[in-house]
Amino acid sequence: MEVTLQNLTKTFPNRDRKKREDVIAVHDFNFKIPDGQLIGLLGPSGCGKSTTLHLISGLLKPTKGNIFFGTEDVTALPPEHRGIGLVFQNYALYPHLTVLQNILFPLQNLKGKDKLTKTQMLEKATAAAKLVQIEGLMARKPRELSGGQQQRVAIARALVKTPKALLLDEPLSNLDARLRLQTREEIRRIQRETGITTIFVTHDQEEAMSISDQIIVMKEGIVQQAGKPQEVYDSPSNLFVAKFLGTPPINVFDGQVKAGRLCLGDDTVLNLEGIPDQPVYVGIRPEGFVCQEDGPLRCKLNGVEVMGRDVSLVFTHKASLAPTVRAIVSAQSQTAMTHCQEAALIRFRLIPQKIFLFHKETEERIYNKEYGL
Amino acid sequence: MTRKNFHRPSSAHADRSGLFRRTMQNRTGSGLKGWLYLLPAMLFLSIFMVYPLMDVFIYSFEEGYNSASQTYFGVGLYNYSYVLHDPYFLQAVRNTFLLVIVTVPLSTVLALLLSTGLNAIRPLRELLQTIYFLPYVTNTLAVGLVFMILFKKTPYSDGLVNLFITCFGGQGVDFIDGPYWAKMFVLCLYTIWVVMPFKILILTSALASVNQKYYQAAKVDGASRLRIFLRITLPMISPMLFYLVITGFIGAFKAYSDVVALFGTNLNAAGMNTMVGYVYDMLYGDSGGYPSYASAAAILLFAIVLTITCINLMASRKNIPS
């Protein structure tokens, strides 16, 4: 089912009573979530992503704007009538009920024509448990399960009444690194199998990029950019998005556009056309650096971290905003770099597609080779 | 369980030193130390709790024990037989049981409803919680006085409640010196009113400590308010509920001062005596001076309370999610 958010706004009264103005948690959110897609709501903590999720679930009422499920306006509908499944960050499994009772709970609440017989309920619960592969744990209490198992139960409970949309609030944050990797694949698989429109909230960009059909990046209640993960990564609309996506993060430099050339400190690194002279922020992805003996970017090498497939170079450049700059080069080019290392000076050529120019004040992107202005 | 915890620090220490003999020494050492720490409490409890309890148990089998001369006629079950055939005692047992059966469930359910209500409202919550807690810090006798004003017939007035009853065309009743049911009604009302604040206090805090996430989850799962209350809230606060029921039973079985506050000290004459009242009367009352009978009655009360508490605990084991 398609979920449409229209001018969605949520404000909370300010805790500090002296300040009159309200705290804006979500500001003018417009987005159409296509049917059957997996959407990642991404942003740093406090950016309003969880609030957005709660607005969709109906646990919070929007201050302004509307929410549509398909063509139906559900803005005024309470959560129990929206037919959504919600998985909480800490799962919120009922501790006094067994796994089976937990999964049955939403079914037992159905009334009127939706009411099911006991066998139907059991069938559905078993099917949901099979989907998340916890059939063997039905008699256990939540506290007898590991974190990953609890999460599966929570997903089964959310899925059992075949919701119109599945909402996941930081679904992986309570799991350890290995389990997180495995579970995100699992979520992807379950979403594919059921075809339920799924929205999940995360602050981990890697998590969002890896499994989402589309990601929405938020900051301070405002949507910064939405789109396919790779597109957003390759073409960030502003400095925040560029900095937020990618590990290791993008390197930001103070730059200057002078007569059609981009200068980082004393180094002239790129020819530009049609950009008026101005100071800019220059973002360069770690993979945008190529070691070259006569490259235009001259840096002081601090260290080399070998990570198997790749080599991570840490160096300094006086135009960089951060104390160190990090580049990822493939291990093959190591030979080119070894002799530079001895001199503690390293020179790079830059890949134009991996360079982004941002306006000094608005921080909006003004240039990228691939995507232009 | 306790033993294990007790020894954990010392055995951890021993693991590091790696000496078996040292381990054994440490174990006995920390055991002794533990007993030493327990000593003050043990001493206090055995002098003021265990010894008197044993003494009462012994007295209850000694016929005609005289505390002044420390003499008695014989040993046997006569005291119990006397007490169990004493109509005053049987009346006291009846009264006490009636009081327990009426007030414990009623006060607990009422307190549950009130605290659920208190928990649901936002404005003035603190103020209302304070008001509901006030009876707890009010003196029993002062409250008894207020109830007298409400219910007692005097040469000058019939009491406030009677005023209302006659106002609506009813027949006035003497609640304090009148028929048994009227007196029992006042006693139950009084008891419920006195025990409610504590229960409300405990239950409001228990309700407040239930994680809101469970309610949100249940709401999303489409549960009605009633179902959320029955399936989520009640099980979550059931440990506190059982605690209140158990202490409520014990408290109601030990009722005495409330009855005195309402009906004065001559409870046998009023037909409103309780089991503790009977024990007191046997010791110090007008018919007093019979420590043997008092002991036998006290042991009977003890046996009843113990049985009921055990039943309660067993029921709670079965129902409380641990």
Side-chain angles (χ1 to χ4, degrees):
Chain A
M1 184 203 49
E2 197 178 71
V3 177
T4 312
L5 310 178
Q6 204 176 68
N7 306 103
L8 201 62
T9 301
K10 177 71 187 176
T11 59
F12 292 106
N14 205 315
R15 277 281 168 83
D16 188 354
R17 283 186 194 166
K18 279 175 211 150
K19 287 185 195 156
R20 282 290 168 82
E21 62 196 71
D22 291 340
V23 177
I24 300 171
V26 179
H27 181 72
D28 201 26
F29 198 130
N30 285 295
F31 197 72
K32 192 169 270 186
I33 297 163
D35 184 28
Q37 282 211 347
L38 182 60
I39 303 291
L41 257 180
L42 183 60
S45 56
C47 74
K49 53 194 191 304
S50 282
T51 308
T52 308
L53 203 72
H54 283 153
L55 286 172
I56 300 173
S57 75
L59 287 172
L60 287 175
K61 291 253 168 306
T63 316
K64 258 206 323 248
N66 294 81
I67 301 164
F68 295 90
F69 285 0
T71 51
E72 186 194 0
D73 186 347
V74 296
T75 317
L77 228 52
E80 58 267 32
H81 294 138
R82 291 199 185 186
I84 42 112
L86 179 58
V87 175
F88 288 87
Q89 188 171 355
N90 53 3
Y91 317 136
L93 296 175
Y94 311 123
H96 54 285
L97 301 181
T98 63
V99 169
L100 178 65
Q101 287 169 326
N102 262 288
I103 301 176
L104 281 174
F105 189 77
L107 296 177
Q108 288 160 345
N109 294 326
L110 295 174
K111 271 180 258 165
K113 61 176 169 53
D114 302 326
K115 210 170 160 125
L116 302 170
T117 64
K118 283 231 165 97
T119 28
Q120 281 174 317
M121 283 190 208
L122 212 58
E123 258 168 41
K124 284 203 163 203
T126 320
K130 268 214 182 91
L131 187 69
V132 297
Q133 298 166 349
I134 47 158
E135 316 90 285
L137 308 169
M138 297 297 245
R140 293 214 199 159
K141 291 275 175 72
R143 76 191 136 81
E144 297 161 343
L145 301 176
S146 71
Q149 289 168 333
Q150 286 185 23
Q151 211 227 17
R152 283 156 190 265
V153 177
I155 293 179
R157 187 178 69 182
L159 283 175
V160 73
K161 54 176 182 186
T162 43
K164 297 178 196 157
L166 179 63
L167 311 175
L168 306 162
D169 191 358
E170 299 266 4
L172 307 175
S173 61
N174 284 353
L175 306 176
D176 63 57
R178 185 178 285 266
L179 203 55
R180 203 175 294 174
L181 223 67
Q182 191 188 332
T183 312
R184 76 182 192 204
E185 295 306 318
E186 194 80 339
I187 289 175
R188 184 72 186 142
R189 175 185 67 80
I190 293 165
Q191 196 270 333
R192 285 254 167 82
E193 272 179 41
T194 55
I196 291 174
T197 311
T198 305
I199 303 156
F200 83 103
V201 157
T202 178
H203 60 264
D204 183 344
Q205 52 91 20
E206 204 185 322
E207 197 175 295
M209 303 256 298
S210 58
I211 60 170
S212 309
D213 292 314
Q214 288 196 58
I215 57 171
I216 302 170
V217 185
M218 289 183 78
K219 180 196 169 195
E220 289 164 7
I222 297 167
V223 175
Q224 303 293 310
Q225 197 173 356
K228 293 208 172 89
Q230 195 62 45
E231 280 174 21
V232 177
Y233 180 80
D234 287 339
S235 167
S237 65
N238 59 37
L239 186 60
F240 171 80
V241 177
K243 279 206 253 185
F244 198 75
L245 296 183
T247 39
I250 198 165
N251 303 295
V252 185
F253 297 84
D254 256 329
Q256 189 79 36
V257 181
K258 272 188 224 151
R261 281 153 192 270
L262 174 64
C263 302
L264 298 181
D266 304 329
D267 304 331
T268 305
V269 293
L270 199 68
N271 285 324
L272 300 165
E273 270 153 40
I275 308 256
D277 290 6
Q278 59 184 308
V280 287
Y281 285 122
V282 182
I284 307 173
R285 291 276 181 213
E287 65 272 25
F289 298 87
V290 180
C291 288
Q292 192 176 314
E293 272 171 61
D294 56 349
L297 188 68
R298 292 167 293 174
C299 306
K300 245 183 89 199
L301 190 68
N302 277 15
V304 181
E305 292 167 14
V306 183
M307 299 178 299
R309 183 171 49 90
D310 297 323
V311 174
S312 169
L313 303 175
V314 183
F315 51 89
T316 52
H317 189 276
K318 65 178 176 194
S320 165
L321 293 185
T324 56
V325 183
R326 189 175 279 269
I328 305 278
V329 295
S330 70
Q332 277 93 17
S333 61
Q334 207 174 354
T335 38
M337 168 205 90
T338 30
H339 74 276
C340 304
Q341 198 178 351
E342 284 151 22
L345 188 80
I346 192 162
R347 296 180 69 147
F348 293 103
R349 169 170 67 81
L350 299 175
I351 303 170
Q353 287 83 351
K354 296 290 179 186
I355 304 174
F356 308 96
L357 300 195
F358 301 98
H359 194 273
K360 201 83 190 190
E361 267 113 50
T362 62
E363 301 193 348
E364 294 297 315
R365 194 187 77 219
I366 49 179
Y367 175 81
N368 173 253
K369 174 95 162 93
E370 191 92 341
Y371 297 92
L373 293 168
Chain B
M1 172 72 190
T2 21
R3 230 183 112 90
K4 216 167 155 191
N5 281 342
F6 211 70
H7 290 305
R8 197 168 286 156
S10 71
S11 48
H13 178 77
D15 284 346
R16 250 176 278 133
S17 71
L19 281 170
F20 179 68
R21 189 171 293 170
R22 182 97 179 270
T23 316
M24 294 309 289
Q25 272 172 0
N26 263 353
R27 282 220 169 136
T28 46
S30 68
L32 273 181
K33 224 188 255 176
W35 286 112
L36 189 70
Y37 293 150
L38 279 175
L39 195 64
M42 300 270 282
L43 267 181
F44 187 84
L45 283 175
S46 42
I47 291 173
F48 292 102
M49 301 287 289
V50 182
Y51 170 69
L53 192 66
M54 307 272 280
D55 235 18
V56 168
F57 193 70
I58 291 165
Y59 292 157
S60 73
F61 290 102
E62 294 176 348
E63 285 164 28
Y65 174 78
N66 186 323
S67 53
S69 60
Q70 300 271 330
T71 54
Y72 55 92
F73 307 129
V75 176
L77 291 170
Y78 172 74
N79 294 330
Y80 287 96
S81 150
Y82 175 85
V83 166
L84 286 173
H85 287 99
D86 185 350
Y88 283 139
F89 182 74
L90 297 179
Q91 179 66 47
V93 170
R94 246 195 313 275
N95 289 340
T96 308
F97 266 87
L98 201 59
L99 187 69
V100 166
I101 289 164
V102 172
T103 61
V104 174
L106 255 182
S107 64
T108 312
V109 169
L110 273 176
L112 184 61
L113 291 179
L114 275 175
S115 37
T116 313
L118 274 175
N119 211 41
I121 53 167
R122 214 142 266 290
L124 299 178
R125 180 194 291 183
E126 270 87 23
L127 179 73
L128 287 169
Q129 273 175 352
T130 313
I131 290 173
Y132 278 104
F133 192 63
L134 271 182
Y136 191 70
V137 288
T138 311
N139 190 300
T140 321
L141 296 174
V143 180
L145 205 67
V146 173
F147 269 69
M148 293 267 250
I149 294 168
L150 283 175
F151 289 104
K152 195 173 173 65
K153 257 192 175 161
T154 62
Y156 313 106
S157 91
D158 280 358
L160 262 177
V161 175
N162 270 329
L163 207 65
F164 268 105
I165 293 177
T166 44
C167 239
F168 290 103
Q171 188 77 52
V173 182
D174 189 344
F175 285 98
I176 304 296
D177 291 321
Y180 178 72
W181 66 264
K183 287 191 277 194
M184 206 61 202
F185 170 77
V186 174
L187 179 59
C188 289
L189 189 70
Y190 176 90
T191 308
I192 290 173
W193 196 76
V194 165
V195 298
M196 284 270 277
F198 180 67
K199 298 192 175 192
I200 291 175
L201 180 78
I202 296 288
L203 287 177
T204 38
S205 58
L207 284 170
S209 68
V210 176
N211 194 336
Q212 288 298 316
K213 282 273 178 269
Y214 296 123
Y215 294 136
Q216 293 187 342
K219 235 188 213 167
V220 171
D221 286 342
S224 63
R225 277 175 161 223
L226 183 69
R227 257 183 76 78
I228 292 179
F229 184 74
L230 293 178
R231 289 287 308 268
I232 310 292
T233 313
L234 268 188
M236 293 253 179
I237 62 167
S238 62
M240 279 300 149
L241 269 181
F242 270 102
Y243 163 75
L244 286 180
V245 169
I246 289 170
T247 53
F249 266 111
I250 294 172
F253 270 115
K254 283 164 53 174
Y256 176 57
S257 63
D258 313 344
V259 198
V260 173
L262 284 175
F263 305 108
T265 46
N266 199 353
L267 291 169
N268 279 337
M272 291 307 291
N273 212 350
T274 62
M275 290 172 75
V276 172
Y278 181 86
V279 172
Y280 181 87
D281 285 348
M282 274 299 172
L283 281 174
Y284 308 112
D286 292 339
S287 57
Y290 303 102
S292 292
Y293 297 151
S295 299
I299 291 293
L300 284 173
L301 174 63
F302 176 72
I304 293 170
V305 173
L306 189 69
T307 316
I308 299 230
T309 307
C310 284
I311 294 170
N312 270 327
L313 280 176
M314 276 190 279
S316 71
R317 288 260 162 74
K318 217 181 246 173
N319 289 307
I320 291 182
S322 50

